[in-house]
Coordinates of all heavy atoms in Angstrom, one line a residue:
M1 N -95.1 16.1 -62.3 CA -94.2 17.1 -61.8 C -92.9 17.1 -62.6 O -92.3 16.1 -62.8 CB -93.9 16.8 -60.3 CG -93.1 18.0 -59.7 SD -92.7 17.5 -57.9 CE -91.8 18.9 -57.4
L2 N -92.5 18.3 -63.1 CA -91.4 18.4 -63.9 C -90.1 18.1 -63.2 O -89.8 18.7 -62.1 CB -91.3 19.8 -64.5 CG -90.3 20.1 -65.6 CD1 -90.7 19.3 -66.9 CD2 -90.2 21.6 -65.9
Q3 N -89.3 17.1 -63.7 CA -88.0 16.7 -63.1 C -87.0 16.5 -64.2 O -87.4 15.9 -65.3 CB -88.2 15.4 -62.3 CG -89.1 15.5 -61.1 CD -88.3 16.0 -59.9 OE1 -87.2 15.6 -59.6 NE2 -88.9 16.9 -59.2
P4 N -85.8 16.8 -64.0 CA -84.8 16.4 -65.0 C -84.4 15.0 -64.8 O -84.1 14.5 -63.7 CB -83.6 17.4 -64.7 CG -83.8 17.8 -63.3 CD -85.2 17.6 -62.9
K5 N -84.4 14.2 -66.0 CA -83.9 12.8 -65.9 C -82.3 12.9 -65.9 O -81.7 12.0 -65.4 CB -84.4 12.0 -67.1 CG -85.8 11.6 -66.9 CD -86.2 10.4 -67.8 CE -86.0 10.8 -69.3 NZ -86.6 9.8 -70.2
K6 N -81.8 13.9 -66.6 CA -80.4 13.9 -66.8 C -80.0 15.4 -67.0 O -80.7 16.2 -67.6 CB -80.1 13.2 -68.1 CG -78.7 12.6 -68.1 CD -78.5 11.5 -69.2 CE -78.6 12.1 -70.6 NZ -78.2 11.2 -71.7
V7 N -78.9 15.8 -66.4 CA -78.3 17.1 -66.6 C -76.9 16.8 -67.2 O -76.1 16.0 -66.8 CB -78.1 17.8 -65.3 CG1 -77.5 19.2 -65.6 CG2 -79.5 18.0 -64.6
F8 N -76.6 17.5 -68.4 CA -75.4 17.2 -69.1 C -74.8 18.4 -69.7 O -75.4 19.4 -69.8 CB -75.6 16.1 -70.1 CG -76.7 16.5 -71.1 CD1 -76.4 17.0 -72.4 CD2 -78.0 16.3 -70.8 CE1 -77.3 17.3 -73.3 CE2 -79.0 16.7 -71.7 CZ -78.7 17.2 -73.0
R9 N -73.5 18.3 -70.2 CA -72.9 19.4 -70.9 C -73.0 19.0 -72.4 O -72.6 17.9 -72.8 CB -71.4 19.5 -70.5 CG -71.2 19.6 -69.0 CD -71.3 21.0 -68.5 NE -71.1 21.1 -67.1 CZ -70.5 22.1 -66.5 NH1 -70.1 23.1 -67.1 NH2 -70.4 22.1 -65.2
T10 N -73.3 20.0 -73.2 CA -73.3 19.7 -74.6 C -71.9 20.0 -75.2 O -71.1 20.6 -74.5 CB -74.3 20.7 -75.4 OG1 -73.8 22.0 -75.4 CG2 -75.7 20.6 -74.7
P11 N -71.6 19.5 -76.4 CA -70.3 19.7 -77.0 C -70.0 21.2 -77.1 O -68.8 21.6 -77.1 CB -70.4 19.0 -78.3 CG -71.5 18.0 -78.2 CD -72.5 18.6 -77.2
E12 N -71.0 22.1 -77.2 CA -70.8 23.5 -77.4 C -70.6 24.2 -76.0 O -70.6 25.4 -76.0 CB -72.0 24.2 -78.1 CG -72.4 23.6 -79.4 CD -73.4 22.5 -79.2 OE1 -74.5 22.8 -78.7 OE2 -73.1 21.3 -79.5
G13 N -70.6 23.4 -74.9 CA -70.4 24.0 -73.6 C -71.7 24.5 -73.0 O -71.6 25.2 -72.0
K14 N -72.8 24.1 -73.5 CA -74.1 24.5 -72.9 C -74.4 23.5 -71.8 O -73.9 22.4 -71.8 CB -75.2 24.5 -73.9 CG -75.0 25.6 -74.9 CD -76.2 25.7 -75.8 CE -76.2 27.0 -76.7 NZ -77.3 27.1 -77.6
L15 N -75.3 23.9 -71.0 CA -75.8 23.0 -69.9 C -77.1 22.5 -70.4 O -78.1 23.2 -70.7 CB -76.0 23.8 -68.6 CG -76.2 23.0 -67.4 CD1 -75.0 22.1 -67.0 CD2 -76.5 23.9 -66.2
G16 N -77.2 21.2 -70.6 CA -78.4 20.5 -71.1 C -79.2 19.8 -70.0 O -78.7 19.3 -69.0
F17 N -80.5 19.8 -70.2 CA -81.4 19.1 -69.3 C -82.3 18.2 -70.2 O -82.8 18.6 -71.2 CB -82.3 20.1 -68.6 CG -81.6 20.9 -67.6 CD1 -81.0 22.1 -68.0 CD2 -81.6 20.6 -66.2 CE1 -80.3 22.9 -67.1 CE2 -81.0 21.4 -65.3 CZ -80.3 22.5 -65.7
E18 N -82.4 16.9 -69.7 CA -83.4 16.0 -70.4 C -84.5 15.9 -69.3 O -84.2 15.4 -68.2 CB -82.7 14.7 -70.7 CG -83.5 13.8 -71.6 CD -82.9 12.5 -71.9 OE1 -81.6 12.5 -72.1 OE2 -83.5 11.5 -71.8
W19 N -85.7 16.2 -69.7 CA -86.8 16.3 -68.7 C -87.6 15.0 -68.7 O -87.6 14.3 -69.7 CB -87.7 17.5 -69.0 CG -87.0 18.8 -69.0 CD1 -86.6 19.5 -70.1 CD2 -86.6 19.5 -67.8 NE1 -86.0 20.7 -69.6 CE2 -86.0 20.7 -68.3 CE3 -86.7 19.3 -66.5 CZ2 -85.4 21.6 -67.4 CZ3 -86.2 20.2 -65.6 CH2 -85.6 21.4 -66.1
N20 N -88.4 14.8 -67.7 CA -89.1 13.5 -67.6 C -90.4 13.6 -68.5 O -91.1 12.5 -68.6 CB -89.5 13.2 -66.1 CG -90.3 14.3 -65.5 OD1 -90.5 15.4 -66.0 ND2 -90.8 14.1 -64.3
D21 N -90.7 14.7 -69.1 CA -91.8 14.7 -70.1 C -91.2 14.4 -71.5 O -91.9 14.5 -72.5 CB -92.6 16.0 -70.0 CG -91.8 17.2 -70.5 OD1 -90.6 17.0 -70.8 OD2 -92.4 18.3 -70.6
G22 N -89.9 14.1 -71.6 CA -89.3 13.8 -72.9 C -88.7 15.0 -73.6 O -88.0 14.8 -74.6
S23 N -88.9 16.2 -73.2 CA -88.4 17.4 -73.8 C -87.0 17.6 -73.3 O -86.5 17.1 -72.3 CB -89.3 18.6 -73.6 OG -89.4 18.9 -72.3
R24 N -86.2 18.5 -74.1 CA -84.9 18.8 -73.7 C -84.7 20.3 -73.8 O -85.3 21.0 -74.5 CB -83.9 18.2 -74.8 CG -83.7 16.7 -74.6 CD -82.8 16.3 -75.8 NE -82.6 14.8 -75.6 CZ -81.3 14.3 -75.5 NH1 -80.3 15.1 -75.5 NH2 -81.2 13.0 -75.3
S25 N -83.8 20.8 -72.9 CA -83.4 22.2 -72.9 C -81.9 22.2 -73.0 O -81.2 21.3 -72.5 CB -83.8 22.9 -71.6 OG -85.2 22.6 -71.4
A26 N -81.4 23.3 -73.5 CA -79.9 23.6 -73.4 C -79.7 25.1 -73.3 O -80.3 25.9 -74.0 CB -79.2 23.1 -74.7
F27 N -78.9 25.5 -72.3 CA -78.7 26.9 -72.1 C -77.2 27.2 -72.1 O -76.4 26.4 -71.5 CB -79.2 27.3 -70.7 CG -80.7 26.8 -70.4 CD1 -80.9 25.7 -69.7 CD2 -81.7 27.5 -71.0 CE1 -82.2 25.3 -69.5 CE2 -83.0 27.1 -70.7 CZ -83.3 26.0 -70.0
S28 N -76.8 28.3 -72.6 CA -75.5 28.8 -72.5 C -75.3 29.2 -71.0 O -76.2 29.7 -70.4 CB -75.1 29.9 -73.5 OG -75.7 31.1 -73.1
P29 N -74.1 29.1 -70.5 CA -73.8 29.6 -69.1 C -74.2 31.0 -69.0 O -74.8 31.4 -67.9 CB -72.3 29.4 -69.0 CG -71.9 28.3 -69.9 CD -72.9 28.5 -71.1
R30 N -74.0 31.9 -70.0 CA -74.3 33.3 -69.8 C -75.8 33.5 -69.8 O -76.3 34.3 -69.0 CB -73.7 34.1 -70.9 CG -73.7 35.6 -70.7 CD -72.8 36.4 -71.6 NE -72.7 37.8 -71.2 CZ -73.5 38.7 -71.6 NH1 -74.5 38.4 -72.5 NH2 -73.4 40.0 -71.2
Q31 N -76.5 32.8 -70.6 CA -78.0 32.9 -70.6 C -78.5 32.5 -69.2 O -79.4 33.2 -68.7 CB -78.5 31.9 -71.7 CG -80.0 31.9 -71.8 CD -80.6 30.8 -72.7 OE1 -79.9 29.9 -73.1 NE2 -81.9 30.9 -73.0
L32 N -78.0 31.5 -68.6 CA -78.4 31.1 -67.3 C -78.0 32.2 -66.2 O -78.8 32.6 -65.4 CB -77.8 29.8 -66.8 CG -78.4 28.6 -67.5 CD1 -77.5 27.4 -67.2 CD2 -79.8 28.3 -67.1
R33 N -76.8 32.7 -66.4 CA -76.3 33.7 -65.4 C -77.2 34.9 -65.5 O -77.6 35.5 -64.4 CB -74.9 34.0 -65.8 CG -74.3 35.1 -64.9 CD -74.1 34.6 -63.5 NE -73.7 35.7 -62.6 CZ -74.5 36.7 -62.1 NH1 -75.8 36.6 -62.3 NH2 -74.0 37.6 -61.4
L34 N -77.6 35.3 -66.7 CA -78.5 36.6 -66.9 C -79.9 36.3 -66.4 O -80.6 37.3 -66.0 CB -78.5 37.0 -68.3 CG -77.2 37.5 -68.9 CD1 -77.4 37.9 -70.4 CD2 -76.6 38.7 -68.1
A35 N -80.3 35.1 -66.4 CA -81.7 34.7 -65.9 C -81.7 34.4 -64.4 O -82.7 34.0 -63.9 CB -82.2 33.6 -66.7
C36 N -80.6 34.6 -63.7 CA -80.5 34.3 -62.3 C -81.7 35.0 -61.5 O -81.8 36.2 -61.6 CB -79.2 34.7 -61.7 SG -79.1 34.3 -60.0
P37 N -82.5 34.2 -60.8 CA -83.6 34.8 -60.1 C -83.3 35.2 -58.6 O -84.2 35.5 -57.9 CB -84.6 33.7 -60.1 CG -83.8 32.5 -60.1 CD -82.5 32.8 -60.7
C38 N -82.0 35.2 -58.2 CA -81.7 35.4 -56.8 C -81.9 36.9 -56.4 O -82.1 37.8 -57.2 CB -80.3 35.0 -56.4 SG -79.0 36.2 -56.7
A39 N -81.9 37.1 -55.1 CA -82.3 38.5 -54.6 C -81.2 39.5 -54.9 O -81.5 40.7 -54.9 CB -82.4 38.4 -53.0
L40 N -80.0 39.1 -55.3 CA -79.0 40.0 -55.8 C -79.2 40.4 -57.2 O -78.8 41.5 -57.6 CB -77.6 39.4 -55.7 CG -77.1 39.1 -54.3 CD1 -75.8 38.3 -54.4 CD2 -76.9 40.3 -53.4
C41 N -79.9 39.6 -58.0 CA -80.1 39.8 -59.4 C -81.5 40.4 -59.7 O -81.6 41.1 -60.7 CB -79.8 38.6 -60.2 SG -78.2 37.9 -60.0
V42 N -82.4 40.1 -58.9 CA -83.8 40.5 -59.2 C -84.4 41.0 -57.8 O -84.3 40.4 -56.8 CB -84.7 39.4 -59.7 CG1 -86.1 39.9 -59.9 CG2 -84.2 38.8 -61.0
D43 N -85.0 42.2 -57.8 CA -85.6 42.7 -56.6 C -86.8 41.8 -56.2 O -87.7 41.6 -57.0 CB -86.1 44.2 -56.9 CG -86.6 44.8 -55.6 OD1 -87.7 44.4 -55.1 OD2 -85.9 45.7 -55.1
E44 N -86.7 41.3 -55.0 CA -87.7 40.4 -54.5 C -89.1 41.0 -54.5 O -90.1 40.2 -54.7 CB -87.4 40.0 -53.1 CG -86.3 39.1 -52.9 CD -86.0 38.8 -51.4 OE1 -86.8 38.1 -50.8 OE2 -85.1 39.4 -50.8
H45 N -89.2 42.3 -54.3 CA -90.6 42.9 -54.1 C -91.1 43.4 -55.5 O -92.3 43.2 -55.7 CB -90.5 44.0 -53.1 CG -90.0 43.5 -51.8 ND1 -90.7 42.6 -51.0 CD2 -88.8 43.7 -51.1 CE1 -90.0 42.3 -49.9 NE2 -88.9 42.9 -50.0
T46 N -90.3 44.0 -56.3 CA -90.8 44.6 -57.5 C -90.6 43.7 -58.7 O -91.2 44.0 -59.8 CB -90.1 46.0 -57.8 OG1 -88.8 45.7 -58.0 CG2 -90.3 46.9 -56.6
G47 N -89.7 42.7 -58.6 CA -89.4 41.9 -59.7 C -88.5 42.6 -60.7 O -88.1 42.1 -61.8
E48 N -88.0 43.8 -60.3 CA -87.1 44.6 -61.2 C -85.7 43.9 -61.3 O -85.2 43.4 -60.3 CB -87.0 46.0 -60.6 CG -86.2 46.9 -61.5 CD -85.8 48.2 -60.7 OE1 -86.4 48.4 -59.6 OE2 -84.8 48.8 -61.1
K49 N -85.2 43.9 -62.5 CA -83.8 43.3 -62.7 C -82.8 44.2 -62.1 O -82.7 45.4 -62.5 CB -83.6 43.0 -64.2 CG -84.0 41.7 -64.6 CD -83.4 41.4 -66.0 CE -84.0 40.1 -66.6 NZ -83.6 38.9 -65.8
L50 N -81.9 43.7 -61.2 CA -80.9 44.5 -60.7 C -79.5 44.2 -61.3 O -78.6 44.9 -61.2 CB -80.7 44.2 -59.2 CG -82.0 44.3 -58.3 CD1 -81.8 43.8 -56.9 CD2 -82.5 45.8 -58.4
L51 N -79.5 43.1 -62.1 CA -78.2 42.6 -62.7 C -78.0 43.4 -64.0 O -78.8 43.5 -64.8 CB -78.3 41.1 -63.0 CG -77.1 40.5 -63.7 CD1 -75.8 40.6 -62.9 CD2 -77.4 39.1 -64.2
D52 N -76.8 44.0 -64.1 CA -76.4 44.7 -65.3 C -75.7 43.7 -66.2 O -74.6 43.2 -65.9 CB -75.5 45.9 -65.0 CG -75.0 46.6 -66.2 OD1 -75.3 46.1 -67.3 OD2 -74.2 47.6 -66.0
P53 N -76.3 43.3 -67.4 CA -75.8 42.3 -68.2 C -74.3 42.6 -68.7 O -73.6 41.7 -68.9 CB -76.7 42.3 -69.5 CG -78.0 42.9 -69.0 CD -77.6 43.9 -67.9
S54 N -74.0 43.9 -68.7 CA -72.6 44.2 -69.2 C -71.6 43.8 -68.1 O -70.4 43.8 -68.5 CB -72.5 45.7 -69.4 OG -72.6 46.4 -68.2
T55 N -72.0 43.5 -66.9 CA -71.0 43.0 -65.9 C -70.8 41.5 -66.0 O -70.0 41.0 -65.2 CB -71.5 43.4 -64.5 OG1 -72.7 42.7 -64.2 CG2 -71.8 44.9 -64.3
V56 N -71.5 40.8 -66.8 CA -71.4 39.4 -66.9 C -70.5 39.1 -68.2 O -70.9 39.3 -69.3 CB -72.7 38.7 -67.1 CG1 -72.6 37.2 -67.2 CG2 -73.6 39.0 -65.8
P57 N -69.3 38.5 -68.0 CA -68.5 38.2 -69.1 C -69.1 37.2 -70.1 O -69.8 36.3 -69.7 CB -67.2 37.6 -68.5 CG -67.4 37.4 -67.1 CD -68.7 38.1 -66.7
E58 N -68.8 37.4 -71.4 CA -69.3 36.4 -72.4 C -68.8 35.0 -72.1 O -69.4 34.0 -72.4 CB -68.8 36.8 -73.8 CG -69.4 38.1 -74.3 CD -70.8 38.0 -74.7 OE1 -71.3 36.9 -74.9 OE2 -71.5 39.1 -74.8
S59 N -67.6 34.9 -71.4 CA -67.0 33.7 -71.2 C -67.3 33.0 -69.9 O -66.7 32.0 -69.5 CB -65.5 33.9 -71.2 OG -65.1 34.8 -70.2
V60 N -68.4 33.5 -69.2 CA -68.7 33.0 -67.9 C -69.0 31.5 -68.0 O -69.6 31.0 -69.0 CB -69.9 33.8 -67.3 CG1 -71.2 33.5 -68.1 CG2 -70.1 33.5 -65.8
K61 N -68.6 30.7 -67.0 CA -68.8 29.3 -67.1 C -69.5 28.8 -65.9 O -69.5 29.4 -64.8 CB -67.4 28.6 -67.1 CG -66.7 28.8 -68.4 CD -65.4 27.9 -68.4 CE -64.7 28.1 -69.7 NZ -64.2 29.5 -70.0
V62 N -70.2 27.6 -66.1 CA -70.8 27.0 -65.0 C -69.8 26.1 -64.2 O -69.2 25.3 -64.9 CB -72.0 26.1 -65.5 CG1 -72.6 25.2 -64.3 CG2 -73.1 27.0 -66.0
L63 N -69.7 26.3 -62.9 CA -68.7 25.4 -62.2 C -69.4 24.2 -61.6 O -68.9 23.1 -61.6 CB -68.2 26.3 -61.0 CG -67.2 27.4 -61.4 CD1 -66.7 28.0 -60.1 CD2 -66.0 26.8 -62.1
Q64 N -70.6 24.4 -61.1 CA -71.3 23.4 -60.3 C -72.8 23.4 -60.5 O -73.3 24.6 -60.5 CB -70.9 23.5 -58.9 CG -70.7 22.1 -58.2 CD -70.4 22.2 -56.7 OE1 -70.5 23.3 -56.2 NE2 -70.2 21.1 -56.1
V65 N -73.4 22.3 -60.5 CA -74.9 22.2 -60.6 C -75.3 21.2 -59.5 O -74.8 20.1 -59.5 CB -75.4 21.7 -61.9 CG1 -76.9 21.7 -62.0 CG2 -74.9 22.6 -63.1
Q66 N -76.2 21.7 -58.6 CA -76.7 20.7 -57.6 C -78.2 20.8 -57.5 O -78.7 21.9 -57.5 CB -76.0 20.8 -56.3 CG -75.5 22.2 -55.9 CD -74.7 22.2 -54.7 OE1 -74.2 23.3 -54.3 NE2 -74.4 21.1 -54.0
S67 N -78.8 19.7 -57.2 CA -80.3 19.8 -57.1 C -80.6 20.4 -55.7 O -79.9 20.2 -54.7 CB -80.9 18.5 -57.3 OG -80.4 17.5 -56.5
V68 N -81.7 21.2 -55.7 CA -82.1 21.8 -54.5 C -83.6 21.3 -54.3 O -84.5 21.6 -55.0 CB -82.2 23.3 -54.6 CG1 -82.7 24.0 -53.4 CG2 -80.8 23.9 -54.9
G69 N -83.7 20.5 -53.3 CA -85.0 19.8 -53.1 C -85.5 19.1 -54.3 O -84.6 18.5 -55.0
R70 N -86.7 19.1 -54.6 CA -87.3 18.4 -55.8 C -87.7 19.3 -56.9 O -88.3 18.9 -57.8 CB -88.5 17.5 -55.3 CG -88.0 16.4 -54.4 CD -89.3 15.6 -53.9 NE -90.2 15.2 -54.9 CZ -90.0 14.1 -55.7 NH1 -88.9 13.3 -55.5 NH2 -90.8 13.7 -56.6
Y71 N -87.4 20.6 -56.7 CA -88.0 21.5 -57.6 C -87.0 22.5 -58.3 O -87.4 23.3 -59.2 CB -89.0 22.4 -56.9 CG -88.4 23.4 -55.9 CD1 -88.2 24.7 -56.3 CD2 -88.0 23.0 -54.6 CE1 -87.5 25.6 -55.4 CE2 -87.4 23.8 -53.8 CZ -87.1 25.1 -54.2 OH -86.5 26.0 -53.3
A72 N -85.8 22.4 -58.0 CA -84.8 23.4 -58.5 C -83.4 22.9 -58.6 O -83.1 21.9 -58.0 CB -84.9 24.6 -57.6
V73 N -82.6 23.6 -59.3 CA -81.1 23.4 -59.3 C -80.5 24.7 -58.8 O -80.9 25.8 -59.2 CB -80.5 23.0 -60.6 CG1 -80.8 21.5 -60.9 CG2 -80.9 23.9 -61.8
G74 N -79.4 24.5 -58.1 CA -78.5 25.6 -57.7 C -77.3 25.6 -58.6 O -76.7 24.5 -58.8
I75 N -77.0 26.7 -59.2 CA -75.9 26.8 -60.2 C -74.8 27.8 -59.7 O -75.1 28.9 -59.3 CB -76.4 27.2 -61.6 CG1 -77.4 26.2 -62.0 CG2 -75.2 27.3 -62.6 CD1 -78.0 26.5 -63.4
S76 N -73.5 27.3 -59.6 CA -72.4 28.2 -59.3 C -71.7 28.6 -60.6 O -71.4 27.7 -61.4 CB -71.4 27.5 -58.4 OG -72.0 26.9 -57.3
F77 N -71.3 29.8 -60.7 CA -70.7 30.3 -61.9 C -69.2 30.8 -61.6 O -68.9 31.1 -60.4 CB -71.4 31.5 -62.5 CG -72.8 31.2 -63.0 CD1 -73.9 31.3 -62.1 CD2 -73.0 30.7 -64.3 CE1 -75.2 31.0 -62.6 CE2 -74.3 30.4 -64.7 CZ -75.3 30.5 -63.9
D78 N -68.4 30.8 -62.6 CA -67.0 31.1 -62.3 C -66.8 32.6 -62.1 O -65.6 33.1 -62.0 CB -66.0 30.5 -63.3 CG -66.1 31.2 -64.7 OD1 -67.1 31.9 -64.9 OD2 -65.2 30.9 -65.5
D79 N -67.8 33.4 -62.2 CA -67.7 34.9 -61.9 C -67.9 35.1 -60.4 O -67.9 36.2 -59.9 CB -68.6 35.7 -62.7 CG -70.1 35.5 -62.4 OD1 -70.4 34.6 -61.7 OD2 -70.9 36.3 -62.8
G80 N -68.0 34.0 -59.6 CA -68.1 34.1 -58.2 C -69.6 34.1 -57.7 O -69.8 34.1 -56.5
H81 N -70.5 34.0 -58.7 CA -71.9 34.1 -58.3 C -72.4 32.6 -58.0 O -72.3 31.8 -58.9 CB -72.7 34.7 -59.4 CG -74.0 35.2 -58.9 ND1 -74.2 36.3 -58.1 CD2 -75.3 34.8 -59.2 CE1 -75.4 36.5 -57.8 NE2 -76.2 35.6 -58.5
R82 N -73.0 32.4 -56.8 CA -73.4 31.1 -56.5 C -74.7 31.0 -55.8 O -75.0 30.0 -55.1 CB -72.3 30.3 -55.8 CG -71.7 31.1 -54.6 CD -70.5 30.3 -54.1 NE -69.5 30.2 -55.1 CZ -68.6 29.2 -55.2 NH1 -68.6 28.2 -54.4 NH2 -67.7 29.2 -56.2
S83 N -75.4 32.1 -55.8 CA -76.7 32.2 -55.0 C -77.9 31.9 -55.9 O -79.0 31.9 -55.4 CB -76.8 33.5 -54.3 OG -76.5 34.6 -55.2
G84 N -77.7 31.6 -57.1 CA -78.8 31.4 -58.0 C -79.5 30.0 -57.9 O -78.8 29.0 -58.0
I85 N -80.7 30.0 -57.6 CA -81.5 28.8 -57.5 C -82.6 28.9 -58.6 O -83.4 29.8 -58.7 CB -82.1 28.6 -56.1 CG1 -81.0 28.3 -55.1 CG2 -83.1 27.4 -56.1 CD1 -81.4 28.2 -53.7
Y86 N -82.5 27.9 -59.5 CA -83.4 27.9 -60.7 C -84.5 26.9 -60.6 O -84.1 25.7 -60.8 CB -82.5 27.7 -62.0 CG -81.4 28.7 -62.2 CD1 -80.3 28.8 -61.4 CD2 -81.6 29.6 -63.3 CE1 -79.3 29.7 -61.6 CE2 -80.6 30.6 -63.5 CZ -79.5 30.6 -62.7 OH -78.5 31.6 -62.9
P87 N -85.7 27.3 -60.3 CA -86.8 26.3 -60.3 C -86.9 25.7 -61.7 O -86.7 26.3 -62.7 CB -88.0 27.1 -59.9 CG -87.5 28.3 -59.3 CD -86.2 28.6 -60.0
Y88 N -87.3 24.4 -61.7 CA -87.4 23.7 -63.0 C -88.4 24.4 -63.9 O -88.2 24.4 -65.1 CB -87.8 22.2 -62.8 CG -86.7 21.4 -62.0 CD1 -87.1 20.5 -61.1 CD2 -85.4 21.6 -62.3 CE1 -86.1 19.8 -60.4 CE2 -84.4 20.9 -61.6 CZ -84.8 20.0 -60.6 OH -83.9 19.3 -60.0
D89 N -89.5 24.9 -63.3 CA -90.5 25.5 -64.2 C -90.0 26.8 -64.8 O -90.4 27.2 -65.9 CB -91.9 25.7 -63.5 CG -91.8 26.4 -62.2 OD1 -90.7 26.9 -61.8 OD2 -92.8 26.6 -61.5
K90 N -89.1 27.4 -64.1 CA -88.5 28.6 -64.7 C -87.6 28.3 -65.8 O -87.5 29.0 -66.9 CB -87.7 29.4 -63.6 CG -87.0 30.6 -64.2 CD -86.3 31.4 -63.1 CE -85.5 32.6 -63.8 NZ -86.3 33.6 -64.3
L91 N -86.8 27.2 -65.7 CA -86.0 26.7 -66.8 C -86.8 26.3 -68.0 O -86.5 26.6 -69.1 CB -85.1 25.5 -66.3 CG -84.1 25.8 -65.3 CD1 -83.4 24.5 -64.9 CD2 -83.0 26.8 -65.9
M92 N -88.0 25.7 -67.8 CA -88.9 25.4 -68.9 C -89.4 26.6 -69.6 O -89.5 26.7 -70.8 CB -90.0 24.5 -68.3 CG -90.8 23.8 -69.4 SD -89.8 23.0 -70.6 CE -89.5 21.4 -69.8
E93 N -89.7 27.6 -68.8 CA -90.2 28.9 -69.3 C -89.1 29.6 -70.2 O -89.3 30.1 -71.3 CB -90.4 29.9 -68.1 CG -91.6 30.8 -68.2 CD -91.7 31.5 -66.9 OE1 -92.3 31.0 -66.0 OE2 -91.1 32.6 -66.8
L94 N -87.8 29.5 -69.7 CA -86.7 30.0 -70.4 C -86.5 29.2 -71.7 O -86.1 29.8 -72.8 CB -85.5 29.9 -69.5 CG -84.3 30.8 -69.8 CD1 -84.6 32.2 -69.6 CD2 -83.2 30.4 -68.7
T95 N -86.8 27.9 -71.7 CA -86.6 27.1 -72.9 C -87.6 27.6 -74.0 O -87.3 27.7 -75.2 CB -87.0 25.7 -72.6 OG1 -86.1 25.2 -71.5 CG2 -86.8 24.8 -73.8
K96 N -88.8 27.9 -73.6 CA -89.9 28.3 -74.5 C -89.6 29.7 -75.1 O -90.0 30.0 -76.2 CB -91.2 28.3 -73.8 CG -91.7 26.8 -73.6 CD -93.0 26.8 -72.8 CE -93.3 25.3 -72.6 NZ -94.1 25.1 -71.3
K97 N -88.9 30.5 -74.3 CA -88.6 31.9 -74.8 C -87.5 31.8 -75.8 O -87.4 32.7 -76.7 CB -88.2 32.8 -73.6 CG -89.4 33.5 -73.0 CD -88.8 34.6 -72.1 CE -89.3 34.3 -70.6 NZ -88.6 35.1 -69.6
A98 N -86.6 30.9 -75.7 CA -85.4 30.8 -76.5 C -85.7 30.4 -77.9 O -86.7 29.8 -78.2 CB -84.3 29.9 -75.9
Ligands
ZN1 ZN1 -78.2 36.0 -58.8

């Protein structure tokens, strides 16, 4: 089961994950904010993106990261958005796309 061994900030201000399979991911705060899967950002039923990327500042920052159960992290951003819960497998998917 995919789990982060370590969550850290990179010198460039990215949020880094070191996974228990030995791989690593690093995401800019804005990349994570735009990928937010919460019901305000993505329509639960159609999967349609509701978030307009132009409303997310380039300078958006991650305020807080907390684990949610054994499968996800909840991330709070300084644009006031704090409902995003990012399952680890979604983060891994995002890593492969980047
Ligand atoms: Zn959201």
Side-chain angles (χ1 to χ4, degrees):
M1 188 181 178
L2 190 65
Q3 292 277 316
K5 282 201 296 192
K6 208 164 69 168
V7 180
F8 56 98
R9 309 274 178 144
T10 71
E12 310 86 62
K14 292 185 172 181
L15 191 65
F17 292 82
E18 193 181 317
W19 302 103
N20 60 353
D21 68 356
S23 60
R24 284 173 178 243
S25 309
F27 308 101
S28 73
R30 191 165 191 270
Q31 182 188 8
L32 287 170
R33 178 65 187 84
L34 292 179
C36 179
C38 87
L40 295 173
C41 296
V42 179
D43 187 290
E44 289 176 73
H45 301 292
T46 64
E48 186 195 341
K49 271 194 186 297
L50 305 173
L51 176 67
D52 176 357
S54 70
T55 63
V56 177
E58 294 290 340
S59 61
V60 69
K61 290 186 179 61
V62 170
L63 290 181
Q64 219 187 2
V65 182
Q66 32 188 177
S67 53
V68 177
R70 290 173 55 79
Y71 70 96
V73 283
I75 302 179
S76 309
F77 296 92
D78 71 347
D79 67 348
H81 200 70
R82 49 189 60 211
S83 46
I85 292 174
Y86 297 73
Y88 297 140
D89 54 4
K90 180 176 171 70
L91 291 175
M92 194 45 85
E93 216 174 276
L94 202 60
T95 305
K96 285 173 185 155
K97 267 192 244 168

